[in-house]
Amino acid sequence: MTPLVGLSPAKSFVGFETEDHGVKVLVTDLPAEAYGEVANAFKANPAGSGGVKPESIETAAGLAYYTAESAKDGATNVRRYSMILPGPTFSGYIAVQVPENVSKIYTDDAIRQMFASAVIRNQVPVEEQLGLMPFKFGELSNFKNVRTLAPGAALLLADGDEKSGFEVAPFMIIGIIGSTAASPDDRGRFAQQIAATIPGVRDGRITMSEPVRIDGQAGYETRIDAVSGKDNTPVTIVQWLRFGGQTSLRIIGSSPRDDWAKAFPRFRAVRDGIQPR
């Protein structure tokens, strides 16, 4: 999306903002079905509700729907806008907040013009995605797909995709978690507790959990046998934690059990190539 004059990439969220942080433009994605739900609601009740009338707008991504309403942010009067547009496997969502004191600059027409410039990129260059992460990758182990899960925080490397399902082939999730072990003696408990939160895992059984050194730093390796995915694929999972002061680097590698012997060296090569920026 082309931001209006005076808006620059935000530092604390994905989107744009003014230098004084007054005007905010959040850009994110929602589940694919969200767009259809909004479109059906628009067709069923084009007049809207609660005094808020939805509008439609043509974008390069297709027909989008947006609303504009007056609200309050604490004691400040603001104008709020939201737009949803169709994507290939998701719905694009943009939310804007404009304080009253700059509403003559960032008018309804100006926001509509910005909304109209929205496009969906089916592919984001790998280098761009990697550049947003707080660490550098020295090795990607020939994974076919690279996808940002949380901009600047988590990344997926996979041989599968959304259509085939990620669980049927090796994949990795690498990211920063905002917690760490309270003490060296607590690392084992912490590692096992975090391993229990790996999404999509059923009937998990920890087969190994022990301290390791990762790039010279204290870490923990935990392995799990489980089933995953809609087809109940038997998988083996490794979780590595590299402990920091207030956060931990978390690296998850999952592979169908039959492919584990080939997948594990790939996981380890990615792990060993990660360096702080």
Side-chain angles (χ1 to χ4, degrees):
M1 185 175 65
T2 304
L4 296 172
V5 173
L7 292 172
S8 301
K11 292 184 172 125
S12 60
F13 60 91
V14 178
F16 308 96
E17 63 183 347
T18 50
E19 188 175 357
D20 65 357
H21 311 299
V23 179
K24 295 182 174 66
V25 181
L26 172 70
V27 181
T28 188
D29 61 278
L30 298 175
E33 58 270 18
Y35 174 81
E37 292 171 0
V38 171
N40 290 336
F42 176 85
K43 293 169 186 174
N45 185 19
S49 60
V52 179
K53 183 180 183 301
E55 303 281 352
S56 62
I57 182 172
E58 285 292 344
T59 73
L63 186 65
Y65 298 94
Y66 78 95
T67 58
E69 59 184 311
S70 298
K72 278 190 172 290
D73 183 6
T76 304
N77 292 323
V78 298
R79 192 83 168 140
R80 285 182 178 152
Y81 309 82
S82 64
M83 181 177 77
I84 192 166
L85 64 163
T89 57
F90 59 89
S91 301
Y93 179 73
I94 302 164
V96 182
Q97 179 168 294
V98 177
E100 186 178 46
N101 64 344
V102 292
S103 60
K104 291 184 179 179
I105 300 172
Y106 298 97
T107 62
D108 286 1
D109 285 343
I111 300 300
R112 180 183 172 89
Q113 178 184 352
M114 181 172 66
F115 279 166
S117 74
V119 299
I120 295 289
R121 291 194 295 174
N122 292 329
Q123 295 290 334
V124 179
V126 170
E127 294 76 13
E128 182 178 333
Q129 296 185 64
L130 298 181
L132 295 173
M133 302 304 291
F135 39 79
K136 297 182 290 186
F137 287 84
E139 174 61 56
L140 296 178
S141 286
N142 296 317
F143 278 103
K144 298 175 183 176
N145 296 309
V146 177
R147 176 182 168 187
T148 298
L149 296 179
L155 194 75
L156 171 74
L157 308 178
D159 284 341
D161 54 31
E162 286 90 350
K163 291 182 180 178
S164 64
F166 292 111
E167 301 84 3
V168 297
F171 73 88
M172 298 185 74
I173 297 174
I174 302 105
I176 299 291
I177 57 175
S179 57
T180 190
S183 67
D185 291 340
D186 192 45
R187 288 170 182 161
R189 181 205 62 80
F190 180 81
Q192 294 188 32
Q193 184 180 52
I194 292 298
T197 68
I198 296 174
V201 173
R202 299 185 299 279
D203 301 328
R205 179 176 63 89
I206 291 177
T207 59
M208 185 267 276
S209 193
E210 62 186 29
V212 294
R213 303 293 292 181
I214 303 175
D215 193 31
Q217 290 183 255
Y220 228 89
E221 177 177 331
T222 304
R223 297 192 195 183
I224 303 165
D225 282 343
V227 295
S228 186
K230 62 183 179 181
D231 295 326
N232 292 321
T233 302
V235 295
T236 297
I237 300 167
V238 61
Q239 173 188 270
W240 287 294
L241 295 178
R242 190 171 74 188
F243 300 110
Q246 302 296 323
T247 60
S248 302
L249 173 65
R250 186 190 197 190
I251 303 166
I252 298 168
S254 174
S255 169
R257 210 161 296 158
D258 292 344
D259 296 335
W260 174 253
K262 293 181 180 178
F264 183 72
R266 298 173 67 194
F267 297 157
R268 193 166 51 195
V270 172
R271 181 203 72 181
D272 293 344
I274 296 174
Q275 298 293 329
R277 288 198 179 276

